mmCIF file of all heavy atoms in Angstrom:
data_model
loop_
_atom_site.group_PDB
_atom_site.id
_atom_site.type_symbol
_atom_site.label_atom_id
_atom_site.label_comp_id
_atom_site.label_asym_id
_atom_site.label_seq_id
_atom_site.Cartn_x
_atom_site.Cartn_y
_atom_site.Cartn_z
ATOM 1 N N ASN A 218 -0.232 -2.490 3.008
ATOM 2 C CA ASN A 218 -0.019 -3.514 2.002
ATOM 3 C C ASN A 218 -1.348 -3.895 1.354
ATOM 4 O O ASN A 218 -2.389 -3.941 2.017
ATOM 5 C CB ASN A 218 0.623 -4.757 2.624
ATOM 6 C CG ASN A 218 2.109 -4.588 2.833
ATOM 7 O OD1 ASN A 218 2.694 -3.572 2.431
ATOM 8 N ND2 ASN A 218 2.737 -5.569 3.468
ATOM 9 N N ASP A 219 -1.297 -4.211 0.061
ATOM 10 C CA ASP A 219 -2.532 -4.505 -0.668
ATOM 11 C C ASP A 219 -3.277 -5.694 -0.076
ATOM 12 O O ASP A 219 -4.508 -5.699 -0.038
ATOM 13 C CB ASP A 219 -2.219 -4.785 -2.141
ATOM 14 C CG ASP A 219 -1.849 -3.514 -2.898
ATOM 15 O OD1 ASP A 219 -2.168 -2.418 -2.391
ATOM 16 O OD2 ASP A 219 -1.252 -3.616 -3.986
ATOM 17 N N ASN A 220 -2.560 -6.715 0.385
ATOM 18 C CA ASN A 220 -3.250 -7.898 0.912
ATOM 19 C C ASN A 220 -4.058 -7.563 2.156
ATOM 20 O O ASN A 220 -5.107 -8.155 2.415
ATOM 21 C CB ASN A 220 -2.245 -9.012 1.213
ATOM 22 C CG ASN A 220 -1.265 -8.616 2.312
ATOM 23 O OD1 ASN A 220 -0.737 -7.509 2.314
ATOM 24 N ND2 ASN A 220 -1.031 -9.528 3.248
ATOM 25 N N ILE A 221 -3.599 -6.578 2.952
ATOM 26 C CA ILE A 221 -4.335 -6.194 4.166
ATOM 27 C C ILE A 221 -5.601 -5.434 3.809
ATOM 28 O O ILE A 221 -6.686 -5.730 4.303
ATOM 29 C CB ILE A 221 -3.431 -5.352 5.087
ATOM 30 C CG1 ILE A 221 -2.279 -6.210 5.613
ATOM 31 C CG2 ILE A 221 -4.235 -4.764 6.245
ATOM 32 C CD1 ILE A 221 -1.298 -5.452 6.467
ATOM 33 N N ILE A 222 -5.480 -4.447 2.915
ATOM 34 C CA ILE A 222 -6.644 -3.634 2.573
ATOM 35 C C ILE A 222 -7.679 -4.450 1.806
ATOM 36 O O ILE A 222 -8.886 -4.266 1.971
ATOM 37 C CB ILE A 222 -6.206 -2.378 1.782
ATOM 38 C CG1 ILE A 222 -7.301 -1.312 1.778
ATOM 39 C CG2 ILE A 222 -5.783 -2.721 0.383
ATOM 40 C CD1 ILE A 222 -7.503 -0.636 3.090
ATOM 41 N N GLN A 223 -7.223 -5.380 0.968
ATOM 42 C CA GLN A 223 -8.171 -6.189 0.194
ATOM 43 C C GLN A 223 -8.931 -7.174 1.072
ATOM 44 O O GLN A 223 -10.039 -7.584 0.735
ATOM 45 C CB GLN A 223 -7.443 -6.933 -0.932
ATOM 46 C CG GLN A 223 -6.978 -6.048 -2.081
ATOM 47 C CD GLN A 223 -8.142 -5.455 -2.877
ATOM 48 O OE1 GLN A 223 -9.243 -5.993 -2.882
ATOM 49 N NE2 GLN A 223 -7.876 -4.334 -3.538
ATOM 50 N N GLU A 224 -8.342 -7.551 2.209
ATOM 51 C CA GLU A 224 -9.047 -8.450 3.132
ATOM 52 C C GLU A 224 -10.307 -7.809 3.701
ATOM 53 O O GLU A 224 -11.203 -8.502 4.190
ATOM 54 C CB GLU A 224 -8.128 -8.856 4.280
ATOM 55 C CG GLU A 224 -7.112 -9.926 3.930
ATOM 56 C CD GLU A 224 -7.758 -11.274 3.681
ATOM 57 O OE1 GLU A 224 -8.888 -11.494 4.154
ATOM 58 O OE2 GLU A 224 -7.129 -12.102 3.002
ATOM 59 N N LEU A 225 -10.396 -6.487 3.648
ATOM 60 C CA LEU A 225 -11.564 -5.794 4.188
ATOM 61 C C LEU A 225 -12.738 -5.788 3.218
ATOM 62 O O LEU A 225 -13.844 -5.396 3.593
ATOM 63 C CB LEU A 225 -11.180 -4.346 4.537
ATOM 64 C CG LEU A 225 -10.107 -4.196 5.626
ATOM 65 C CD1 LEU A 225 -9.655 -2.743 5.723
ATOM 66 C CD2 LEU A 225 -10.631 -4.688 6.958
ATOM 67 N N VAL A 226 -12.518 -6.195 1.967
ATOM 68 C CA VAL A 226 -13.596 -6.226 0.976
ATOM 69 C C VAL A 226 -14.439 -7.473 1.219
ATOM 70 O O VAL A 226 -13.930 -8.597 1.133
ATOM 71 C CB VAL A 226 -13.032 -6.225 -0.457
ATOM 72 C CG1 VAL A 226 -14.164 -6.257 -1.473
ATOM 73 C CG2 VAL A 226 -12.146 -5.007 -0.684
ATOM 74 N N PRO A 227 -15.729 -7.320 1.532
ATOM 75 C CA PRO A 227 -16.547 -8.484 1.912
ATOM 76 C C PRO A 227 -17.144 -9.248 0.736
ATOM 77 O O PRO A 227 -17.934 -10.165 0.946
ATOM 78 C CB PRO A 227 -17.651 -7.844 2.766
ATOM 79 C CG PRO A 227 -17.831 -6.486 2.173
ATOM 80 C CD PRO A 227 -16.463 -6.053 1.700
ATOM 81 N N PHE A 228 -16.799 -8.874 -0.494
ATOM 82 C CA PHE A 228 -17.383 -9.543 -1.668
ATOM 83 C C PHE A 228 -16.289 -9.809 -2.696
ATOM 84 O O PHE A 228 -15.227 -9.187 -2.680
ATOM 85 C CB PHE A 228 -18.491 -8.686 -2.287
ATOM 86 C CG PHE A 228 -18.074 -7.273 -2.574
ATOM 87 C CD1 PHE A 228 -17.401 -6.929 -3.746
ATOM 88 C CD2 PHE A 228 -18.337 -6.261 -1.657
ATOM 89 C CE1 PHE A 228 -17.011 -5.628 -4.000
ATOM 90 C CE2 PHE A 228 -17.943 -4.944 -1.906
ATOM 91 C CZ PHE A 228 -17.281 -4.640 -3.083
ATOM 92 N N GLU A 229 -16.561 -10.743 -3.577
ATOM 93 C CA GLU A 229 -15.630 -11.081 -4.638
ATOM 94 C C GLU A 229 -15.981 -10.317 -5.904
ATOM 95 O O GLU A 229 -17.129 -9.925 -6.121
ATOM 96 C CB GLU A 229 -15.658 -12.590 -4.921
ATOM 97 C CG GLU A 229 -15.279 -13.467 -3.740
ATOM 98 C CD GLU A 229 -13.803 -13.370 -3.399
ATOM 99 O OE1 GLU A 229 -13.017 -13.002 -4.296
ATOM 100 O OE2 GLU A 229 -13.443 -13.646 -2.241
ATOM 101 N N SER A 230 -14.983 -10.114 -6.741
ATOM 102 C CA SER A 230 -15.225 -9.511 -8.049
ATOM 103 C C SER A 230 -16.119 -10.430 -8.870
ATOM 104 O O SER A 230 -16.044 -11.662 -8.764
ATOM 105 C CB SER A 230 -13.894 -9.282 -8.770
ATOM 106 O OG SER A 230 -14.106 -8.712 -10.039
ATOM 107 N N ASP A 231 -16.995 -9.836 -9.673
ATOM 108 C CA ASP A 231 -17.914 -10.537 -10.574
ATOM 109 C C ASP A 231 -19.101 -11.161 -9.841
ATOM 110 O O ASP A 231 -19.827 -11.972 -10.411
ATOM 111 C CB ASP A 231 -17.193 -11.607 -11.390
ATOM 112 C CG ASP A 231 -17.925 -11.894 -12.707
ATOM 113 O OD1 ASP A 231 -18.423 -10.935 -13.341
ATOM 114 O OD2 ASP A 231 -18.022 -13.074 -13.100
ATOM 115 N N THR A 232 -19.323 -10.786 -8.562
ATOM 116 C CA THR A 232 -20.541 -11.217 -7.864
ATOM 117 C C THR A 232 -21.620 -10.159 -8.057
ATOM 118 O O THR A 232 -21.336 -9.000 -8.341
ATOM 119 C CB THR A 232 -20.271 -11.419 -6.371
ATOM 120 O OG1 THR A 232 -19.740 -10.208 -5.811
ATOM 121 C CG2 THR A 232 -19.283 -12.553 -6.145
ATOM 122 N N PRO A 233 -22.908 -10.539 -7.937
ATOM 123 C CA PRO A 233 -23.995 -9.576 -8.176
ATOM 124 C C PRO A 233 -23.867 -8.338 -7.288
ATOM 125 O O PRO A 233 -23.566 -8.431 -6.098
ATOM 126 C CB PRO A 233 -25.251 -10.385 -7.845
ATOM 127 C CG PRO A 233 -24.863 -11.798 -8.090
ATOM 128 C CD PRO A 233 -23.425 -11.896 -7.684
ATOM 129 N N TYR A 234 -24.117 -7.194 -7.876
ATOM 130 C CA TYR A 234 -24.022 -5.913 -7.165
ATOM 131 C C TYR A 234 -25.104 -5.829 -6.093
ATOM 132 O O TYR A 234 -26.268 -6.206 -6.304
ATOM 133 C CB TYR A 234 -24.183 -4.768 -8.161
ATOM 134 C CG TYR A 234 -24.082 -3.385 -7.568
ATOM 135 C CD1 TYR A 234 -22.886 -2.681 -7.601
ATOM 136 C CD2 TYR A 234 -25.182 -2.766 -6.973
ATOM 137 C CE1 TYR A 234 -22.782 -1.406 -7.059
ATOM 138 C CE2 TYR A 234 -25.094 -1.499 -6.427
ATOM 139 C CZ TYR A 234 -23.895 -0.824 -6.473
ATOM 140 O OH TYR A 234 -23.813 0.432 -5.933
#
Side-chain angles (χ1 to χ4, degrees):
N218 281 355
D219 287 342
N220 64 315
I221 294 177
I222 197 71
Q223 288 293 336
E224 282 291 339
L225 297 171
V226 180
F228 52 84
E229 300 290 337
S230 180
D231 205 40
T232 56
Y234 181 96

